[in-house]
Amino acid sequence: MKSISPCRSVRRAATATFALSILLTACGGSGGDDASSQGPVTLEFWGWANGQEAVVKAFNAAHKDVQLKYTKVTDQLGTQKQLSNAVKANNAPCLVQNTAEYVTSWVSQGALADITQYVKSKESAFNEGAWSGAQVQGKVYGVPTSSAPSFTVYRTDVFEKYGLEAPATWDDFIASGEVLKKHGIKVTNYAGEDPSTLEVLAMQAGARWYTIDGNAWQVNFQDKGSLQAAEVIQEIIDKDLNSKLSFSDYAALQRNFDSGGTVTRQISTWQMSGMVQNFTKSLGEWALSPWPAFAGSAVRTPAGTNQSAGLNLVTEQCKHPEQAAEAALWLSTDPGAVKTMATPGTGSGVLPALKDSSPYTDMTISKELLGKNYEPAKKIVNDSLGTVNTDWTFGPNWTAMFTELQSQWGKVVSKELKVTELLAHMQKWTVDDLKSRGINVKG
């Protein structure tokens, strides 16, 4: 494995004998923080979310012995590049905002500190789905900051016009799509650059693209769950039930939803703000329903995806990991800080990672978008957090794997490649990539 840790050779050898846990040997480092023996401990904190400057200011006002020095980075992807450079230079910050899909990769590179001993006692304060995103092999490397409740948002006026109900299963979803197609309406949109559709449906179906088997990674893109997801997606594509609008023309995409060209989305709370900002015709006509279930299965919600499944990570180079862990806990549990981050305008409008996030739900969903469907929507959001599958593992080469998946997904959307063919390609590609990095792999 190509480690970006200063202890490159040591961690490369460790990877060959044990996938992750041995990697976390301390190797010193600058710690990315500046503390005088006579003054408070100062911890560098990198993040991109709206509202963080305000909560850092509140933290510093409430603490004498520990202070946070905040640096706003560009975005999620920019953070990965900047953190990589900082780790190489032995100058990583103590705390860094991130999302769950990157945790395993950073752990495998020896970039994160095991803070289990400092935060384990607070596990009960967080919902299970959010807490699972901060762990690798039972060890905790960060503190959850936000949840990603997942649900379907759909056009009630269009569904009612054609005698349809909110789809309870994927079979219902496809059947609704066939009815809508007769009227020139698409039931969903598959952007050619965004393979997260396949990821989250596989996740929901119980797929396990990566698992840890003894001292090796097990890779399986062709398990039962993956094939079940592939079958649903392939049927939607083959029957031309989906739009093919790119997120690169965001305004056009939103106009299509607003005008009734496409009438459902599987989203989280943070994505609703873009709809409100861009809609002029359909405000008040949308409602929420649970994710469609696979036939014969109970409702399951994919683990939090993308930007909203957030956490603050503690780096291995931090000289004060205990203080960093405690600061991260405060940022995620202090009522004032949580309210600031959950409120659109002052923060990012994302649902907190707390065990009970219901007091903040009404801040993160839009009454303007949902109209008369606003009150029932609160229960849909809160219930979704209780159906999250928590045993999905992001592999140590997740970023590279997802980039390859993304490069091929457009061929699936354009019918040049079957979903099963893509899965077969990803199976071989991922195994080969892990081997090229010196990582022990089965599959």
Side-chain angles (χ1 to χ4, degrees), residues 127 130 145-147 332 338-339 342 350-354 357 360-361 364 385:
N127 68 66
T145 59
S146 57
S147 299
S332 292
V338 172
K339 184 175 181 180
V350 294
L351 200 66
L354 300 175
S357 296
Y360 305 94
T361 305
T364 60
L385 294 174

Side-chain angles (χ1 to χ4, degrees), residues 204-265:
Q204 182 197 14
R208 298 292 175 266
W209 288 356
Y210 296 87
T211 54
I212 297 171
D213 183 5
N215 66 345
W217 282 95
Q218 178 76 48
V219 175
N220 193 349
F221 281 77
Q222 297 169 297
D223 58 8
K224 180 180 177 180
S226 297
L227 296 177
Q228 196 172 14
E231 183 178 1
V232 169
I233 293 169
Q234 194 66 60
E235 188 171 359
I236 289 171
I237 290 174
D238 287 347
K239 291 181 175 179
D240 295 315
L241 307 182
N242 60 295
S243 299
K244 303 174 185 177
L245 300 172
S246 171
F247 286 100
S248 62
D249 191 347
Y250 188 70
L253 175 66
Q254 296 288 23
R255 284 195 300 270
N256 182 265
F257 285 113
D258 192 28
S259 64
T262 308
V263 292
T264 80
R265 297 179 70 186

Side-chain angles (χ1 to χ4, degrees), residues 31-306:
D33 55 333
D34 180 22
S36 166
S37 60
Q38 302 300 316
V41 170
T42 301
L43 309 174
E44 282 198 64
F45 172 32
W46 290 3
W48 67 80
N50 293 336
Q52 285 177 331
E53 286 145 310
V55 297
V56 165
K57 184 177 180 180
F59 176 90
N60 289 340
H63 296 81
K64 294 181 179 179
D65 297 332
V66 179
Q67 296 284 283
L68 296 177
K69 181 182 177 183
Y70 181 70
T71 298
K72 190 174 182 68
V73 291
T74 52
D75 53 27
Q76 181 188 33
L77 292 177
T79 296
Q80 315 316 315
K81 296 176 183 177
Q82 289 178 252
L83 182 58
S84 176
N85 292 334
V87 171
K88 289 177 182 177
N90 203 26
N91 192 32
C94 261
L95 279 173
V96 59
Q97 180 188 358
N98 224 301
T99 49
E101 65 263 40
Y102 295 106
V103 176
T104 305
S105 294
W106 287 120
V107 171
S108 69
Q109 296 172 46
L112 301 183
D114 175 5
I115 58 170
T116 308
Q117 62 179 316
Y118 308 127
V119 301
K120 183 68 175 177
S121 64
K122 303 297 183 182
E123 178 178 355
S124 62
F126 299 93
N127 68 66
E128 188 178 1
W131 187 258
S132 68
Q135 297 182 82
V136 178
Q137 287 188 288
K139 295 181 179 180
V140 185
Y141 296 92
V143 176
T145 59
S146 57
S147 299
S150 299
F151 43 79
T152 299
V153 60
Y154 69 100
R155 281 285 294 267
T156 56
D157 55 337
V158 176
F159 270 65
E160 289 169 4
K161 181 177 180 179
Y162 299 111
L164 301 173
E165 296 182 354
T169 68
W170 286 113
D171 289 341
D172 296 339
F173 190 84
I174 291 170
S176 296
E178 292 179 291
V179 172
L180 294 167
K181 180 184 175 181
K182 296 175 183 177
H183 305 281
I185 300 169
K186 302 295 187 181
V187 72
T188 191
N189 180 66
Y190 290 163
E193 74 278 7
D194 183 18
S196 62
T197 296
L198 177 57
E199 174 198 345
V200 294
L201 261 71
M203 189 185 296
Q204 182 197 14
R208 298 292 175 266
W209 288 356
Y210 296 87
T211 54
I212 297 171
D213 183 5
N215 66 345
W217 282 95
Q218 178 76 48
V219 175
N220 193 349
F221 281 77
Q222 297 169 297
D223 58 8
K224 180 180 177 180
S226 297
L227 296 177
Q228 196 172 14
E231 183 178 1
V232 169
I233 293 169
Q234 194 66 60
E235 188 171 359
I236 289 171
I237 290 174
D238 287 347
K239 291 181 175 179
D240 295 315
L241 307 182
N242 60 295
S243 299
K244 303 174 185 177
L245 300 172
S246 171
F247 286 100
S248 62
D249 191 347
Y250 188 70
L253 175 66
Q254 296 288 23
R255 284 195 300 270
N256 182 265
F257 285 113
D258 192 28
S259 64
T262 308
V263 292
T264 80
R265 297 179 70 186
Q266 275 75 45
I267 62 170
S268 188
T269 51
W270 64 271
Q271 291 155 306
M272 298 172 75
S273 61
M275 299 172 75
V276 174
Q277 292 166 9
N278 288 277
F279 287 3
T280 59
K281 300 176 182 178
S282 63
L283 291 173
E285 300 290 353
W286 295 82
L288 305 188
S289 67
W291 264 70
F294 286 96
S297 301
V299 173
R300 295 186 75 193
T301 304
T305 58
N306 300 325

